[in-house]
Structures are given as structure tokens and as C-alpha cells.
Amino acid sequence: MYNDDKIRFLPEWSRGPETASQRDARLGRQHLAKGEWDKSMSYLTAAIVFEPHNGGYWLDLGRALLGMGDSQLARDAWHAGLVWSRHANDETLAAELEASIATLPNADVGV
């Protein structure tokens, strides 16, 4: 599985062409960093349409949703990401998603 977070330190020319989902996720993360929740959510949702099995996209979508004040949808996004990260045996991402879920009221990490 392609994980753009693991290659972010490689030179731009060595990464190959950016896919539509990677572009949308990159733009979503840029808006997330600026606190532009609605724009971030739009781009991250588009990234998920192209690549629903990417748990990192779900993590960021949950952050955008939480920024918009919707903790239930954030929880749902994080649970989806948790399922995909466990399916991919990405324990680091799974732990980050579990930690995010645990910050919410009435946290239930069980998946």
C-alpha cells in the first residue's frame, strides 16, 4: 500500500506523479492546518472516494469534522480509519486513531 506520509522526505522528483487522492489529501491537510474545516473536509472526502482504504485520510477527515464541532461524525470517521488501518496491519496509525477516539466524550474504541 502506498503511504505518502512515509516518503515525504524524499526529493519531489523521486515520488512519481501525484494521484488524485494524494492531491486531494494534500490540499485537505493544507486547509486543515489553516483551520479551514469545511474546505479540508471537502478535499479529504474526495480523497476517500478515490482511496477509501487509506486510514490516514480518515484520521484527517475526523480532525476536520471535530474542528467543525461534529464529534459524532469525527468518531465515525476515526472508527472507519481504525478498521482500515488494522486491515493493513498499520499498528502505528491504529494507535493514533484509538488515541483520537479516546479524546472524545463517551469514547468507545472497540472495533
Side-chain angles (χ1 to χ4, degrees):
M1 182 167 86
Y2 188 128
N3 186 336
D4 59 355
D5 289 337
K6 292 181 181 176
I7 65 161
R8 66 177 172 235
F9 297 112
L10 294 175
E12 189 68 36
W13 58 266
S14 67
R15 296 182 193 181
E18 187 175 52
T19 66
S21 62
Q22 292 167 342
R23 181 202 63 231
D24 289 336
R26 177 179 49 78
L27 293 170
R29 288 176 180 139
Q30 288 173 355
H31 289 291
L32 186 63
K34 295 177 187 176
E36 297 172 345
W37 314 123
D38 55 339
K39 290 179 182 178
S40 177
M41 186 189 70
S42 294
Y43 281 111
L44 291 164
T45 301
I48 289 169
V49 167
F50 287 111
E51 201 175 338
H53 58 274
N54 188 313
Y57 296 170
W58 289 102
L59 175 65
D60 291 333
L61 178 61
R63 290 173 175 159
L65 291 164
L66 189 62
M68 293 176 71
D70 197 329
S71 61
Q72 183 57 51
L73 284 179
R75 179 191 322 274
D76 293 345
W78 288 336
H79 272 288
L82 187 56
V83 169
W84 284 112
S85 64
R86 286 183 176 158
H87 180 73
N89 295 316
D90 188 339
E91 295 305 317
T92 302
L93 180 57
E96 190 171 356
L97 286 153
E98 288 172 346
S100 295
I101 293 167
T103 65
L104 300 173
N106 302 318
D108 176 22
V109 176
V111 173

Short mmCIF file of all heavy atoms in Angstrom, two decimals, residues 3-5 8 10 17 20 28-29 38 43 47 51 62-64 66 71 75 78 85-87 95 97 99-101:
data_model
loop_
_atom_site.label_atom_id
_atom_site.label_comp_id
_atom_site.label_asym_id
_atom_site.label_seq_id
_atom_site.Cartn_x
_atom_site.Cartn_y
_atom_site.Cartn_z
N ASN A 3 1.92 4.82 0.98
CA ASN A 3 1.71 5.71 2.11
C ASN A 3 2.56 6.96 1.90
O ASN A 3 3.76 6.94 2.10
CB ASN A 3 2.08 5.02 3.41
CG ASN A 3 1.75 5.85 4.63
OD1 ASN A 3 1.64 7.08 4.54
ND2 ASN A 3 1.57 5.21 5.74
N ASP A 4 1.90 8.05 1.48
CA ASP A 4 2.66 9.26 1.17
C ASP A 4 3.31 9.89 2.40
O ASP A 4 4.27 10.63 2.26
CB ASP A 4 1.80 10.28 0.43
CG ASP A 4 0.56 10.72 1.19
OD1 ASP A 4 0.29 10.18 2.27
OD2 ASP A 4 -0.14 11.59 0.67
N ASP A 5 2.82 9.56 3.61
CA ASP A 5 3.44 10.11 4.81
C ASP A 5 4.85 9.55 5.01
O ASP A 5 5.72 10.21 5.54
CB ASP A 5 2.60 9.80 6.05
CG ASP A 5 1.32 10.59 6.08
OD1 ASP A 5 1.28 11.65 5.43
OD2 ASP A 5 0.37 10.15 6.73
N ARG A 8 7.55 11.45 2.58
CA ARG A 8 7.51 12.91 2.48
C ARG A 8 8.89 13.55 2.47
O ARG A 8 9.04 14.69 2.07
CB ARG A 8 6.65 13.51 3.56
CG ARG A 8 7.19 13.32 4.95
CD ARG A 8 6.30 14.00 5.98
NE ARG A 8 6.77 13.61 7.28
CZ ARG A 8 6.04 13.07 8.21
NH1 ARG A 8 4.78 12.84 7.98
NH2 ARG A 8 6.55 12.75 9.37
N LEU A 10 11.52 12.34 0.81
CA LEU A 10 12.22 12.06 -0.44
C LEU A 10 12.13 13.27 -1.35
O LEU A 10 11.19 14.05 -1.27
CB LEU A 10 11.60 10.85 -1.14
CG LEU A 10 11.73 9.52 -0.42
CD1 LEU A 10 10.96 8.45 -1.19
CD2 LEU A 10 13.18 9.12 -0.27
N PRO A 17 4.38 10.60 -10.09
CA PRO A 17 3.23 11.51 -10.23
C PRO A 17 2.26 11.38 -9.06
O PRO A 17 2.09 10.30 -8.50
CB PRO A 17 2.60 11.06 -11.54
CG PRO A 17 3.06 9.67 -11.75
CD PRO A 17 4.40 9.55 -11.08
N ALA A 20 -4.85 11.45 -7.87
CA ALA A 20 -5.95 12.35 -7.50
C ALA A 20 -6.20 12.30 -5.99
O ALA A 20 -6.41 13.35 -5.36
CB ALA A 20 -7.21 11.98 -8.27
N GLY A 28 -6.40 18.91 1.39
CA GLY A 28 -7.20 18.81 2.61
C GLY A 28 -6.37 19.07 3.85
O GLY A 28 -6.79 19.77 4.77
N ARG A 29 -5.16 18.52 3.86
CA ARG A 29 -4.27 18.73 5.01
C ARG A 29 -3.80 20.18 5.10
O ARG A 29 -3.62 20.71 6.20
CB ARG A 29 -3.07 17.78 4.92
CG ARG A 29 -3.44 16.35 5.20
CD ARG A 29 -2.28 15.40 5.02
NE ARG A 29 -2.70 14.04 5.30
CZ ARG A 29 -2.33 13.00 4.59
NH1 ARG A 29 -1.50 13.14 3.57
NH2 ARG A 29 -2.76 11.80 4.90
N ASP A 38 -14.24 23.34 6.60
CA ASP A 38 -15.14 22.94 5.52
C ASP A 38 -14.37 22.61 4.24
O ASP A 38 -14.66 21.61 3.57
CB ASP A 38 -16.21 24.00 5.26
CG ASP A 38 -15.63 25.38 4.98
OD1 ASP A 38 -14.48 25.65 5.36
OD2 ASP A 38 -16.34 26.19 4.37
N TYR A 43 -12.03 18.30 0.52
CA TYR A 43 -10.89 17.65 -0.14
C TYR A 43 -10.64 16.25 0.42
O TYR A 43 -10.38 15.31 -0.34
CB TYR A 43 -9.62 18.49 -0.02
CG TYR A 43 -9.58 19.62 -1.01
CD1 TYR A 43 -9.68 20.94 -0.59
CD2 TYR A 43 -9.42 19.38 -2.37
CE1 TYR A 43 -9.63 21.99 -1.50
CE2 TYR A 43 -9.37 20.42 -3.29
CZ TYR A 43 -9.47 21.72 -2.85
OH TYR A 43 -9.43 22.75 -3.76
N ALA A 47 -10.70 12.59 -1.41
CA ALA A 47 -9.59 11.63 -1.35
C ALA A 47 -10.09 10.25 -0.94
O ALA A 47 -9.66 9.24 -1.50
CB ALA A 47 -8.52 12.13 -0.38
N GLU A 51 -9.78 6.56 -2.56
CA GLU A 51 -8.94 5.62 -1.83
C GLU A 51 -9.50 5.39 -0.42
O GLU A 51 -8.92 5.81 0.58
CB GLU A 51 -7.51 6.17 -1.76
CG GLU A 51 -6.46 5.16 -1.51
CD GLU A 51 -5.06 5.74 -1.57
OE1 GLU A 51 -4.85 6.81 -2.19
OE2 GLU A 51 -4.18 5.11 -0.99
N GLY A 62 -11.55 13.03 10.25
CA GLY A 62 -12.07 13.14 11.62
C GLY A 62 -11.62 14.42 12.30
O GLY A 62 -12.40 15.07 13.01
N ARG A 63 -10.39 14.81 12.07
CA ARG A 63 -9.89 16.07 12.65
C ARG A 63 -10.66 17.27 12.10
O ARG A 63 -10.98 18.20 12.84
CB ARG A 63 -8.40 16.22 12.36
CG ARG A 63 -7.55 15.24 13.13
CD ARG A 63 -6.11 15.30 12.71
NE ARG A 63 -5.29 14.42 13.54
CZ ARG A 63 -4.11 13.97 13.19
NH1 ARG A 63 -3.56 14.31 12.05
NH2 ARG A 63 -3.44 13.16 14.00
N ALA A 64 -10.93 17.26 10.81
CA ALA A 64 -11.70 18.36 10.20
C ALA A 64 -13.12 18.39 10.77
O ALA A 64 -13.64 19.46 11.09
CB ALA A 64 -11.72 18.22 8.68
N LEU A 66 -14.14 17.24 13.64
CA LEU A 66 -14.08 17.70 15.03
C LEU A 66 -13.90 19.21 15.07
O LEU A 66 -14.52 19.91 15.89
CB LEU A 66 -12.95 17.00 15.78
CG LEU A 66 -12.91 17.23 17.28
CD1 LEU A 66 -14.19 16.70 17.94
CD2 LEU A 66 -11.69 16.54 17.88
N SER A 71 -18.49 15.97 16.81
CA SER A 71 -17.70 14.89 17.41
C SER A 71 -18.23 13.51 17.03
O SER A 71 -17.44 12.56 16.94
CB SER A 71 -17.64 15.04 18.93
OG SER A 71 -18.93 14.98 19.49
N ARG A 75 -15.91 10.75 15.29
CA ARG A 75 -15.79 9.40 15.83
C ARG A 75 -16.02 8.36 14.73
O ARG A 75 -15.27 7.39 14.60
CB ARG A 75 -16.78 9.19 16.97
CG ARG A 75 -16.75 7.79 17.57
CD ARG A 75 -17.92 7.52 18.53
NE ARG A 75 -18.30 8.64 19.36
CZ ARG A 75 -17.75 8.94 20.53
NH1 ARG A 75 -16.77 8.20 21.00
NH2 ARG A 75 -18.17 9.98 21.22
N TRP A 78 -13.05 8.24 12.44
CA TRP A 78 -11.91 7.59 13.09
C TRP A 78 -12.12 6.08 13.22
O TRP A 78 -11.18 5.32 13.08
CB TRP A 78 -11.63 8.25 14.43
CG TRP A 78 -11.03 9.62 14.27
CD1 TRP A 78 -10.33 10.10 13.19
CD2 TRP A 78 -11.06 10.69 15.21
NE1 TRP A 78 -9.94 11.40 13.41
CE2 TRP A 78 -10.37 11.79 14.64
CE3 TRP A 78 -11.62 10.83 16.48
CZ2 TRP A 78 -10.22 13.00 15.30
CZ3 TRP A 78 -11.47 12.05 17.14
CH2 TRP A 78 -10.77 13.12 16.56
N SER A 85 -6.92 0.67 9.02
CA SER A 85 -5.53 0.59 9.47
C SER A 85 -5.24 -0.79 10.06
O SER A 85 -4.15 -1.33 9.85
CB SER A 85 -5.21 1.70 10.47
OG SER A 85 -5.97 1.56 11.65
N ARG A 86 -6.20 -1.36 10.76
CA ARG A 86 -6.00 -2.72 11.28
C ARG A 86 -5.95 -3.73 10.14
O ARG A 86 -5.17 -4.68 10.18
CB ARG A 86 -7.09 -3.07 12.27
CG ARG A 86 -6.91 -2.35 13.59
CD ARG A 86 -7.94 -2.75 14.60
NE ARG A 86 -7.70 -2.12 15.88
CZ ARG A 86 -8.62 -1.95 16.80
NH1 ARG A 86 -9.85 -2.40 16.60
NH2 ARG A 86 -8.33 -1.37 17.94
N HIS A 87 -6.79 -3.53 9.14
CA HIS A 87 -6.78 -4.41 7.97
C HIS A 87 -5.42 -4.37 7.27
O HIS A 87 -4.94 -5.39 6.77
CB HIS A 87 -7.89 -4.00 7.00
CG HIS A 87 -7.97 -4.83 5.78
ND1 HIS A 87 -8.45 -6.13 5.79
CD2 HIS A 87 -7.63 -4.58 4.51
CE1 HIS A 87 -8.37 -6.63 4.59
NE2 HIS A 87 -7.89 -5.70 3.77
N ALA A 95 -3.02 3.01 16.49
CA ALA A 95 -2.84 3.59 17.82
C ALA A 95 -3.18 5.08 17.81
O ALA A 95 -3.79 5.59 18.76
CB ALA A 95 -1.40 3.38 18.29
N LEU A 97 -5.32 6.56 15.79
CA LEU A 97 -6.78 6.65 15.68
C LEU A 97 -7.44 6.32 17.02
O LEU A 97 -8.39 7.00 17.42
CB LEU A 97 -7.28 5.73 14.57
CG LEU A 97 -6.99 6.24 13.16
CD1 LEU A 97 -6.87 5.10 12.16
CD2 LEU A 97 -8.05 7.23 12.73
N ALA A 99 -6.18 6.75 19.96
CA ALA A 99 -5.92 7.90 20.84
C ALA A 99 -6.87 9.05 20.52
O ALA A 99 -7.35 9.74 21.42
CB ALA A 99 -4.47 8.34 20.73
N SER A 100 -7.14 9.26 19.23
CA SER A 100 -8.06 10.33 18.84
C SER A 100 -9.47 10.03 19.34
O SER A 100 -10.15 10.91 19.88
CB SER A 100 -8.07 10.48 17.31
OG SER A 100 -6.81 10.90 16.86
N ILE A 101 -9.90 8.78 19.18
CA ILE A 101 -11.23 8.38 19.65
C ILE A 101 -11.32 8.55 21.16
O ILE A 101 -12.35 9.01 21.68
CB ILE A 101 -11.54 6.93 19.23
CG1 ILE A 101 -11.66 6.83 17.71
CG2 ILE A 101 -12.82 6.43 19.91
CD1 ILE A 101 -11.65 5.42 17.16
#
